[in-house]
Amino acid sequence: MNLPVRVVKGSWQNWLGRVVLFGGVGLFMFRAMNEWSRSGLGLLTDALIIAIAVTGLNLITGYTGQLSLGHAAFFAIGAFTSAMLVTGKVWSPFFTDNIWTPGWTMPVAAVVCFLVGMVVGIPALRLKGIYLALVTLVFTEAVRALFKYGEFEGVTGGATGIKGFGYLPPSWTGLDGRADLVEWFFWLSLAILVVVSILSAGLLRSRIGRAMVAVRDNETAAAVMGVNLFSIKTLVFGLSGAIAGVAGSLYALKLTLVDADIPIFGLFGSVTLLVALVVGGAAQNWGPFVGAMFYVFVNDFARGVGEAPSDAAILGWFVDSGTKINGLGGVTFGVLLILFARFVPFGAVGTMRMWRSKLVQVVPRVPAVAGVVAGRSSGPLGEEGSGSVDPTPSSIGAVESPGPIDPDRPDSPS
Amino acid sequence: MSLFIERLVNGLADGSIYALLALALVVVFRSTGQLNFAQGEIGTLGAFVVSTLTLSGLPVWLSILLAMVVGFVISAGVERVVVRPIEHRNPGAVIVALIGVFLAVNQLVAMFWGVDARGLPNVFPDQADDFVTIFGAPIRVARLGVIGVLIVVLLLLWLMFNKTRIGLAMRAVANNQESSNLVGIRVGTILVVGWGLAGAIGVLAAALLAPSAGLTGTLMLGPFLLASVAAVLGGLDSPVGAVVGGLIIGLTEAFMVGYVDFLGADMLFPVMLVILLVVLLLRPSGLFGSERVERV
């Protein structure tokens, strides 16, 4: 049998692959649901919330190529929007009573973050690469400072933040109020992640999605071809921010408090989201999910190594049981990140897809015309498989494909 | 007036530290095209090395020089062991690796030196009566010393870049790696030296900052952010820009805290954002940065 095996898109083999993939993820979730302790489920929920925010980041950084270190700001804005609405700290028109239920604050958070994101998108018209990353990073810290600013204390809670709200499961879920809070947030986050992923996949298949990839691969060329850079960048920044905002809102409702000093609302949060994106695989539809899972669980594992180093394989020889070494967890996580960047450079999903393409390739159903090279592009984060117009193979390792050029080839097969 | 002079000098002194750190970032950016996230943390580690060495009885200036050597070695090692192998495969993954280095070095400091704050002796005289009077303003000698160090470092860097062979090679590599390789420059060695140099400058900045700011594991977090802003403000590939940017930020901070009551130190980053946007929207590559022309 010749490798790679070619599977026609939409054939039963292709569907089998999809079923195995989704089944595997479903099984993982199911096991996690049933066999893990409550804290394990809480961790899983955190990972899902991060995955939602990273899905947003993936749109602008992965697919449109605009490096953003500002998504913690949207996360924070979403969180504070929910907190301020639920606790009635902002003036609401027409009603004297506070009409906001926790669930309805999420769309509001999305709208607010969409508008802020559109404004943030304007500098992206002039700035590139690290310059844009730095401006968005300062934007994150600026937003954090504004939430902390003493003059706004009546609205944002100032330095102490806002406490005393939450989101109990509605009665139709059949969950039992406070007792099932962990389960409720798990299912809610999962549902939102699924919806957001489907919407984002749909967006990428649309005209806007093509324009995004064109802007990433070559901005000037895209503009020449008729892509309106202003509307694409502001729109995608807005959408991307809105998704991160929903994640932030969810985070606040789960945590039941917001405070500008929570690390994930600042520099640390922006870095977390970017690391999760790159580790999972930028411009990959499964990248955010895998990256967030990696980030949360490897971080937890590393912390465990720091708490009880005698349990870890090599350290056990040097350390007595029961010792705790300050900082060892962080060092472990840092070293794991370096090793990951070294050996899995295109992120888990990107690298797996590269390996898979050596074994199995999904080709379009159209009758084959031999000898066309499927070019692969490398954007700022080196993502692959976007179906670039450029036929020259890039350093990532283009794979010869016998298929014809298919104008409707989706960006992410399978 | 005397208050103004005092704030001016303090702003310039803080700005000098940002300028040093921004210089280090620029040296790395020119050679590798990356923002070195670990720059500040390598500096913090160096400052703790200074603290250990001075406690063992060495004079402060010698401790700082030795710590700069340590910073040179660590930073050069990061380039050789972490950055270069990854850059060959995917430049986008370098940012994750550097964040990993940032985290590892930060926590390594916590592992070896604990999390308690400690003092660091100043290399300049810093007793209560060590001040000079300029236009009626009492100025601490240590503050003037920091500005002096910046001037000396600038002079040395200028001499190195313009009067030595290795400086010439570094400029060539910054300009075009491939052509440099073709004319016989060992690009790998030059990159290692560039990163090492940046590491040493970062340690110097941290050792100058620690006596007044207090030595903790998070010593360089804020200064690193401000130095990145300074480097971007001046243009990431311009050493002159880094210095100008650093001084602008130091002065802005000093005058804002001093004169604008309703903003104060808490609103530093919103103000930085406004400055950054105004400058970058007019000049997208910073004040002194060179525009990159791309072929389509």
mmCIF file of all heavy atoms in Angstrom, chain A residues 257-279:
data_model
loop_
_atom_site.group_PDB
_atom_site.id
_atom_site.type_symbol
_atom_site.label_atom_id
_atom_site.label_comp_id
_atom_site.label_asym_id
_atom_site.label_seq_id
_atom_site.Cartn_x
_atom_site.Cartn_y
_atom_site.Cartn_z
ATOM 1 N N LEU A 257 -16.775 36.613 41.576
ATOM 2 C CA LEU A 257 -16.235 37.927 41.928
ATOM 3 C C LEU A 257 -15.325 38.404 40.813
ATOM 4 O O LEU A 257 -14.809 37.595 40.042
ATOM 5 C CB LEU A 257 -15.477 37.888 43.253
ATOM 6 C CG LEU A 257 -14.258 36.975 43.355
ATOM 7 C CD1 LEU A 257 -12.983 37.704 43.032
ATOM 8 C CD2 LEU A 257 -14.169 36.384 44.748
ATOM 9 N N VAL A 258 -15.159 39.721 40.702
ATOM 10 C CA VAL A 258 -14.154 40.257 39.788
ATOM 11 C C VAL A 258 -13.305 41.252 40.552
ATOM 12 O O VAL A 258 -13.764 41.874 41.507
ATOM 13 C CB VAL A 258 -14.762 40.962 38.552
ATOM 14 C CG1 VAL A 258 -15.355 39.975 37.592
ATOM 15 C CG2 VAL A 258 -15.755 42.006 38.973
ATOM 16 N N ASP A 259 -12.068 41.377 40.110
ATOM 17 C CA ASP A 259 -11.100 42.209 40.800
ATOM 18 C C ASP A 259 -9.988 42.457 39.792
ATOM 19 O O ASP A 259 -9.483 41.518 39.180
ATOM 20 C CB ASP A 259 -10.606 41.434 42.035
ATOM 21 C CG ASP A 259 -9.468 42.134 42.742
ATOM 22 O OD1 ASP A 259 -9.005 43.163 42.238
ATOM 23 O OD2 ASP A 259 -9.047 41.643 43.796
ATOM 24 N N ALA A 260 -9.641 43.729 39.594
ATOM 25 C CA ALA A 260 -8.663 44.057 38.548
ATOM 26 C C ALA A 260 -7.316 43.397 38.795
ATOM 27 O O ALA A 260 -6.506 43.294 37.888
ATOM 28 C CB ALA A 260 -8.492 45.564 38.450
ATOM 29 N N ASP A 261 -7.070 42.943 40.020
ATOM 30 C CA ASP A 261 -5.768 42.338 40.315
ATOM 31 C C ASP A 261 -5.698 40.853 39.999
ATOM 32 O O ASP A 261 -4.645 40.243 40.157
ATOM 33 C CB ASP A 261 -5.403 42.559 41.787
ATOM 34 C CG ASP A 261 -4.904 43.966 42.008
ATOM 35 O OD1 ASP A 261 -4.321 44.516 41.054
ATOM 36 O OD2 ASP A 261 -5.098 44.508 43.101
ATOM 37 N N ILE A 262 -6.816 40.250 39.571
ATOM 38 C CA ILE A 262 -6.755 38.849 39.181
ATOM 39 C C ILE A 262 -5.807 38.729 37.988
ATOM 40 O O ILE A 262 -5.974 39.437 36.996
ATOM 41 C CB ILE A 262 -8.162 38.334 38.819
ATOM 42 C CG1 ILE A 262 -9.043 38.342 40.069
ATOM 43 C CG2 ILE A 262 -8.100 36.936 38.224
ATOM 44 C CD1 ILE A 262 -10.483 37.986 39.797
ATOM 45 N N PRO A 263 -4.790 37.845 38.099
ATOM 46 C CA PRO A 263 -3.728 37.845 37.083
ATOM 47 C C PRO A 263 -4.242 37.678 35.663
ATOM 48 O O PRO A 263 -3.694 38.281 34.742
ATOM 49 C CB PRO A 263 -2.862 36.646 37.480
ATOM 50 C CG PRO A 263 -3.175 36.377 38.897
ATOM 51 C CD PRO A 263 -4.547 36.880 39.166
ATOM 52 N N ILE A 264 -5.301 36.883 35.463
ATOM 53 C CA ILE A 264 -5.711 36.582 34.096
ATOM 54 C C ILE A 264 -6.284 37.810 33.391
ATOM 55 O O ILE A 264 -6.415 37.832 32.179
ATOM 56 C CB ILE A 264 -6.708 35.404 34.065
ATOM 57 C CG1 ILE A 264 -6.696 34.756 32.681
ATOM 58 C CG2 ILE A 264 -8.101 35.834 34.443
ATOM 59 C CD1 ILE A 264 -7.302 33.405 32.623
ATOM 60 N N PHE A 265 -6.602 38.876 34.140
ATOM 61 C CA PHE A 265 -7.100 40.100 33.511
ATOM 62 C C PHE A 265 -5.982 40.992 32.999
ATOM 63 O O PHE A 265 -6.253 42.054 32.438
ATOM 64 C CB PHE A 265 -7.963 40.900 34.494
ATOM 65 C CG PHE A 265 -9.270 40.218 34.821
ATOM 66 C CD1 PHE A 265 -9.922 40.492 36.010
ATOM 67 C CD2 PHE A 265 -9.836 39.317 33.945
ATOM 68 C CE1 PHE A 265 -11.117 39.869 36.324
ATOM 69 C CE2 PHE A 265 -11.027 38.688 34.252
ATOM 70 C CZ PHE A 265 -11.667 38.964 35.447
ATOM 71 N N GLY A 266 -4.728 40.603 33.208
ATOM 72 C CA GLY A 266 -3.626 41.475 32.794
ATOM 73 C C GLY A 266 -2.674 40.787 31.842
ATOM 74 O O GLY A 266 -3.037 39.867 31.107
ATOM 75 N N LEU A 267 -1.442 41.256 31.877
ATOM 76 C CA LEU A 267 -0.364 40.712 31.049
ATOM 77 C C LEU A 267 -0.343 39.189 31.049
ATOM 78 O O LEU A 267 -0.255 38.543 30.003
ATOM 79 C CB LEU A 267 0.966 41.258 31.595
ATOM 80 C CG LEU A 267 2.264 40.563 31.222
ATOM 81 C CD1 LEU A 267 2.598 40.884 29.791
ATOM 82 C CD2 LEU A 267 3.386 41.001 32.131
ATOM 83 N N PHE A 268 -0.470 38.612 32.252
ATOM 84 C CA PHE A 268 -0.415 37.167 32.389
ATOM 85 C C PHE A 268 -1.507 36.485 31.563
ATOM 86 O O PHE A 268 -1.266 35.474 30.903
ATOM 87 C CB PHE A 268 -0.563 36.805 33.872
ATOM 88 C CG PHE A 268 -0.753 35.344 34.136
ATOM 89 C CD1 PHE A 268 0.329 34.490 34.145
ATOM 90 C CD2 PHE A 268 -2.018 34.834 34.364
ATOM 91 C CE1 PHE A 268 0.146 33.147 34.374
ATOM 92 C CE2 PHE A 268 -2.206 33.490 34.595
ATOM 93 C CZ PHE A 268 -1.121 32.647 34.604
ATOM 94 N N GLY A 269 -2.711 37.076 31.590
ATOM 95 C CA GLY A 269 -3.816 36.481 30.848
ATOM 96 C C GLY A 269 -3.567 36.509 29.346
ATOM 97 O O GLY A 269 -3.767 35.516 28.651
ATOM 98 N N SER A 270 -3.092 37.654 28.849
ATOM 99 C CA SER A 270 -2.821 37.763 27.417
ATOM 100 C C SER A 270 -1.786 36.739 26.992
ATOM 101 O O SER A 270 -1.898 36.102 25.940
ATOM 102 C CB SER A 270 -2.316 39.167 27.089
ATOM 103 O OG SER A 270 -3.384 40.065 27.072
ATOM 104 N N VAL A 271 -0.753 36.591 27.822
ATOM 105 C CA VAL A 271 0.308 35.635 27.509
ATOM 106 C C VAL A 271 -0.245 34.211 27.548
ATOM 107 O O VAL A 271 0.040 33.394 26.670
ATOM 108 C CB VAL A 271 1.479 35.818 28.497
ATOM 109 C CG1 VAL A 271 2.445 34.667 28.398
ATOM 110 C CG2 VAL A 271 2.206 37.114 28.213
ATOM 111 N N THR A 272 -1.087 33.924 28.557
ATOM 112 C CA THR A 272 -1.701 32.600 28.646
ATOM 113 C C THR A 272 -2.457 32.253 27.375
ATOM 114 O O THR A 272 -2.302 31.164 26.818
ATOM 115 C CB THR A 272 -2.692 32.561 29.826
ATOM 116 O OG1 THR A 272 -1.994 32.853 31.009
ATOM 117 C CG2 THR A 272 -3.361 31.204 29.942
ATOM 118 N N LEU A 273 -3.289 33.209 26.917
ATOM 119 C CA LEU A 273 -4.102 32.928 25.735
ATOM 120 C C LEU A 273 -3.222 32.692 24.515
ATOM 121 O O LEU A 273 -3.462 31.773 23.731
ATOM 122 C CB LEU A 273 -5.081 34.079 25.477
ATOM 123 C CG LEU A 273 -6.117 34.325 26.577
ATOM 124 C CD1 LEU A 273 -7.015 35.484 26.211
ATOM 125 C CD2 LEU A 273 -6.945 33.074 26.828
ATOM 126 N N LEU A 274 -2.175 33.511 24.369
ATOM 127 C CA LEU A 274 -1.306 33.347 23.199
ATOM 128 C C LEU A 274 -0.570 32.008 23.266
ATOM 129 O O LEU A 274 -0.461 31.286 22.265
ATOM 130 C CB LEU A 274 -0.300 34.493 23.109
ATOM 131 C CG LEU A 274 0.527 34.452 21.836
ATOM 132 C CD1 LEU A 274 -0.336 34.740 20.628
ATOM 133 C CD2 LEU A 274 1.689 35.420 21.881
ATOM 134 N N VAL A 275 -0.078 31.658 24.454
ATOM 135 C CA VAL A 275 0.632 30.382 24.599
ATOM 136 C C VAL A 275 -0.307 29.226 24.276
ATOM 137 O O VAL A 275 0.049 28.312 23.523
ATOM 138 C CB VAL A 275 1.198 30.237 26.027
ATOM 139 C CG1 VAL A 275 1.640 28.808 26.289
ATOM 140 C CG2 VAL A 275 2.368 31.173 26.219
ATOM 141 N N ALA A 276 -1.535 29.293 24.807
ATOM 142 C CA ALA A 276 -2.490 28.217 24.527
ATOM 143 C C ALA A 276 -2.747 28.112 23.033
ATOM 144 O O ALA A 276 -2.831 27.006 22.484
ATOM 145 C CB ALA A 276 -3.795 28.459 25.285
ATOM 146 N N LEU A 277 -2.839 29.268 22.355
ATOM 147 C CA LEU A 277 -3.104 29.244 20.913
ATOM 148 C C LEU A 277 -1.952 28.594 20.153
ATOM 149 O O LEU A 277 -2.154 27.706 19.323
ATOM 150 C CB LEU A 277 -3.327 30.670 20.399
ATOM 151 C CG LEU A 277 -3.517 30.775 18.885
ATOM 152 C CD1 LEU A 277 -4.817 30.117 18.469
ATOM 153 C CD2 LEU A 277 -3.487 32.205 18.421
ATOM 154 N N VAL A 278 -0.726 29.028 20.461
ATOM 155 C CA VAL A 278 0.418 28.520 19.703
ATOM 156 C C VAL A 278 0.669 27.046 20.035
ATOM 157 O O VAL A 278 1.001 26.250 19.154
ATOM 158 C CB VAL A 278 1.673 29.370 19.988
ATOM 159 C CG1 VAL A 278 2.870 28.819 19.243
ATOM 160 C CG2 VAL A 278 1.434 30.800 19.560
ATOM 161 N N VAL A 279 0.484 26.693 21.301
ATOM 162 C CA VAL A 279 0.716 25.310 21.708
ATOM 163 C C VAL A 279 -0.309 24.379 21.065
ATOM 164 O O VAL A 279 0.019 23.284 20.616
ATOM 165 C CB VAL A 279 0.672 25.214 23.250
ATOM 166 C CG1 VAL A 279 0.363 23.817 23.703
ATOM 167 C CG2 VAL A 279 1.992 25.657 23.831
#
